[in-house]
Amino acid sequence: MHLPTFEDVVEAATQEAAREFIRVVRTALSQQQAATHKFCLSSQVVVAAPGSPGDGLYYDLALQCPMYRKPLERLTRAGSHASELAIGNLLDHVRSIGLMIGDESLPCFAHVAASRVAIEAAVTSCRWLDPNISTPERLLLVAAGGRYSALQDKKAADCLPASVSYAAGAKAAAQNRYDETLRHIAETGIKEAFDRRGDPSHYVWNDGATKVPLKFNITSEVAKWFPDLPAIYQTGSGAVHSVPWQLADAVAESDTAFSGYRVRPSILGIGAAVDAVLVACSTV
């Protein structure tokens, strides 16, 4: 199966317009990649707004509770690192989408899936760097994110079959990381709250009032941070999970193909995916 060309996708009369559109798209991606790459390399992520990691408020909290100073500093560093990793993931997918869109070939589905990943990376960094939330809430989000990450690490290791030579070591290491994460969170004074079934459901600040759920709905967060993108995000879900209604959009009937069909990706769909990635970058 060859990658579709402009001749496969559009009629002869509109091929040059399609080429020009793709050139504009690639230029926008290239400029965004250069700007974001420079931003990531030049400085760490700092949001100098009230309640943000850069305003020093968490130091005030630490002064009020000296025993929590080092654990809070550790948690703050973990949050900054996680945010930078998310932004790095966003940047990597900006670059990948740019590479997918060639001079004479076009992607069928991958650009849609990559745009979804980029949006989720942007949501993750925006949640933790939101200048409009308090420092306690930010630290609770970091704690919940760290717990979720360590838990997924542990679940992945637990799935390794015993026949794999490194399974026992991997399981032990993941369990240790999970236990260490929970211990570090507990050292900050953050407490767990439980649901009616007795399962952990929230992290609660030491004021007893500020709390965040241990799980969050990514679709709801996308709608919150990117109110104009939920449709594109859901389309990305169709490509990621190989749902026929989405994949069928790139297929057209053909009298010459053996199967009776040919791949015909949407030029406008490529533009929509790129637009979503650029919006994600600009929001971050």
Side-chain angles (χ1 to χ4, degrees):
M1 176 180 173
H2 73 283
L3 289 175
T5 65
F6 286 93
E7 287 73 14
D8 297 323
V9 176
V10 295
E11 301 300 329
T14 58
Q15 283 176 18
E16 186 52 41
R19 291 176 188 277
E20 178 59 27
F21 179 76
I22 290 299
R23 281 194 288 269
V24 171
V25 164
R26 293 183 66 188
T27 299
L29 276 173
S30 177
Q31 291 174 345
Q32 182 64 66
Q33 179 189 345
T36 310
H37 187 67
K38 181 179 180 180
F39 166 73
C40 288
L41 292 181
S42 63
S43 64
Q44 288 195 341
V45 177
V46 175
V47 183
S52 72
D55 78 340
L57 179 57
Y58 88 94
Y59 288 110
D60 296 334
L61 294 171
L63 290 174
Q64 296 171 19
C65 306
M67 62 181 294
Y68 297 145
R69 181 176 62 83
K70 288 186 177 180
L72 286 173
E73 290 177 350
R74 183 192 301 120
L75 190 60
T76 300
R77 288 195 299 271
S80 295
H81 181 59
S83 298
E84 290 169 347
L85 286 175
I87 292 175
N89 193 24
L90 170 61
L91 175 61
D92 184 61
H93 281 78
V94 171
R95 176 177 179 273
S96 296
I97 293 177
L99 293 174
M100 291 176 194
I101 305 171
D103 291 326
E104 291 299 330
S105 62
L106 300 169
C108 302
F109 314 109
H111 59 289
V112 182
S115 71
R116 179 182 170 94
V117 176
I119 293 171
E120 290 195 8
V123 165
T124 297
S125 58
C126 286
R127 288 182 78 235
W128 291 355
L129 296 174
D130 184 358
N132 296 314
I133 62 175
S134 66
T135 292
E137 185 176 355
R138 185 186 322 286
L139 292 173
L140 289 173
L141 287 172
V142 172
R147 181 184 187 278
Y148 175 81
S149 175
L151 180 60
Q152 296 308 304
D153 178 21
K154 179 178 175 298
K155 287 181 177 180
D158 288 342
C159 288
L160 290 171
S163 58
V164 177
S165 60
Y166 55 81
K171 291 179 180 180
Q175 182 66 57
N176 289 337
R177 285 191 293 270
Y178 178 70
D179 294 340
E180 183 180 64
T181 298
L182 295 188
R183 186 178 73 252
H184 285 166
I185 293 171
E187 289 172 353
T188 66
I190 292 174
K191 300 291 192 298
E192 288 183 342
F194 301 86
D195 59 21
R196 294 179 179 179
R197 295 177 298 181
D199 297 325
S201 60
H202 289 74
Y203 269 147
V204 184
W205 192 249
N206 54 34
D207 60 5
T210 308
K211 62 181 180 179
V212 301
L214 296 181
K215 297 180 181 179
F216 75 99
N217 186 293
I218 185 65
T219 302
S220 298
E221 290 294 320
V222 169
K224 170 187 173 181
W225 285 99
F226 305 105
D228 296 329
L229 298 186
I232 296 177
Y233 178 75
Q234 293 295 350
T235 299
S237 176
V240 168
H241 302 296
S242 294
V243 180
W245 69 263
Q246 164 59 28
L247 303 185
D249 283 349
V251 176
E253 294 185 358
S254 172
D255 295 331
T256 58
F258 177 77
S259 65
Y261 296 93
R262 62 188 176 94
V263 176
R264 187 178 182 180
S266 167
I267 294 290
L268 293 180
I270 292 173
V274 171
D275 182 56
V277 171
L278 297 179
V279 170
C281 289
S282 64
T283 303
V284 172

